Amino acid sequence: MKVSTCLYGLSALAAPAMGALQQVTGFGTNPTNVQMFISVPAKVATNPAIIVALHPCGGTAQQWYSGTKLPSFSESQGFILIYPQTTKYSNCWDVNNAGSLTHGGAGDALGIISMVNYTLQKYNGDKSKVFVMGGSSGAMMANVMAGSYPDVFEAGAAYSGVAFACFAGSKSDPTPFGANQTCAQGLSHTPEQWASFVQNAYPGYTGKRPRFLVAHGLADSLVRPQAGYEQLKQWSAVLGVKNTKNLTGSAVEEGSQYTQLVYGDDNKLVGYFGQGVGHIAPVVEKVLLKFFGLST
């Protein structure tokens, strides 16, 4: 199954929206003026989980809301969805910004953390069940959020993204039109080098690190498959896990065209790489929610 879109891609797969998103203003510190939209189910769970869902380049909160079936699962399971929206860099996230790549820095990341804190307080959310996911540029930003704020997120998932700090220091905008495409073409470092970028984002932090899911298409010519493998190198070193087994075919929940790379034995890190799958790798909601620990 090949999925192709323009830019760092808006998903071609769409699910009917459950209802209009609500925009929230005045939610807290917001240095880059990112916008906050929220989807609250009719029946909110007691101490609900929260998922931050990050749109791709060229996308919007509404389009990403309509691009997966997460809203319908939110309605049935009672968790809350936050949809941040950026209007800069052709609606791409600032994954090259030192502020976003630093805990307590500035950038889009700090505004997103304000959205999480606002939602936790307003809806009495469960701080141990805050998650982040995204597609393409949103997947890149999911890596950024998990790297810069390990104390906030329990787990993250990246669909066709790149490793934390892959674009760091780039003087070109992190868009498909930027002159520097080295990262998206599969910039390589050792696992230890990748891990040092994450560790340096929050010096002295010794707490729990977010679990992570990486999904990538092997036919992705925009963000090359190597970028997916580089994420696994990074998070395997950060989490201290090694590749223990690989599954193919009917044994893979994501789909028979995928190979599943399993790290460790405690659901800390998993990768899915799909034959014939382009940009963006589709979100398989049941697999995502199972990884997050939110399946019913």
Side-chain angles (χ1 to χ4, degrees):
M1 175 181 178
K2 185 172 181 178
V3 178
S4 61
T5 57
C6 62
L7 305 186
Y8 279 138
L10 204 50
S11 175
L13 300 179
M18 296 299 295
L21 287 174
Q22 294 180 337
Q23 185 169 5
V24 177
T25 58
F27 51 83
T29 303
N30 186 18
T32 58
N33 295 316
V34 290
Q35 297 172 322
M36 177 182 179
F37 295 84
I38 194 168
S39 175
V40 181
K43 186 176 181 180
V44 180
T46 303
N47 306 125
I50 296 168
I51 299 178
V52 177
L54 297 162
H55 66 71
C57 270
T60 64
Q62 180 64 55
Q63 287 167 317
W64 194 230
Y65 171 84
S66 300
T68 78
K69 297 176 183 176
L70 286 176
S72 64
F73 284 95
S74 168
E75 288 294 332
S76 63
Q77 296 180 214
F79 59 80
I80 294 172
L81 290 160
I82 298 173
Y83 289 88
Q85 180 174 303
T86 179
T87 57
K88 298 179 180 178
Y89 308 124
S90 300
N91 289 28
C92 303
W93 298 101
D94 68 347
V95 295
N96 62 333
N97 186 332
S100 280
L101 294 168
T102 304
H103 181 85
D108 294 346
L110 189 60
I112 293 170
I113 292 300
S114 294
M115 298 177 197
V116 170
N117 290 334
Y118 169 91
T119 306
L120 284 169
Q121 182 175 2
K122 181 174 178 62
Y123 297 97
N124 197 25
D126 187 339
K127 291 183 178 180
S128 71
K129 294 182 179 179
V130 179
F131 308 91
V132 62
M133 62 81 69
S136 197
S137 178
M140 301 174 191
M141 195 63 180
N143 276 273
V144 169
M145 300 308 300
S148 291
Y149 294 92
D151 53 332
V152 173
F153 296 99
E154 167 64 21
Y159 294 84
S160 305
V162 302
F164 178 92
C166 187
F167 273 105
S170 173
K171 300 188 184 305
S172 172
D173 292 347
T175 76
F177 310 111
N180 185 356
Q181 294 299 308
T182 304
C183 175
Q185 294 302 305
L187 176 66
S188 181
H189 288 298
T190 67
E192 293 73 25
Q193 287 171 328
W194 279 127
S196 69
F197 298 144
V198 173
Q199 291 154 357
N200 291 338
Y202 193 175
Y205 179 75
T206 58
K208 186 178 179 181
R209 294 282 179 177
R211 299 178 292 106
F212 215 80
L213 181 153
V214 173
H216 218 102
L218 293 174
D220 191 338
S221 60
L222 192 59
V223 180
R224 300 283 182 177
Q226 187 60 38
Y229 293 115
E230 296 299 317
Q231 290 172 76
L232 291 177
K233 286 164 62 176
Q234 182 173 63
W235 291 110
S236 65
V238 170
L239 294 167
V241 292
K242 296 185 180 299
N243 184 204
T244 53
K245 63 180 177 180
N246 297 333
L247 304 173
T248 58
S250 60
V252 182
E253 293 175 315
E254 193 86 358
S256 60
Q257 74 270 46
Y258 284 85
T259 296
Q260 179 181 2
L261 286 68
V262 180
Y263 288 74
D265 57 4
D266 50 4
N267 203 39
K268 281 187 176 180
L269 179 64
V270 63
Y272 295 96
F273 290 80
Q275 290 287 346
V277 177
H279 194 84
I280 303 169
V283 177
V284 180
E285 293 84 1
K286 289 184 178 180
V287 174
L288 173 66
L289 294 175
K290 181 179 179 180
F291 181 77
F292 281 174
L294 298 180
S295 295
T296 56

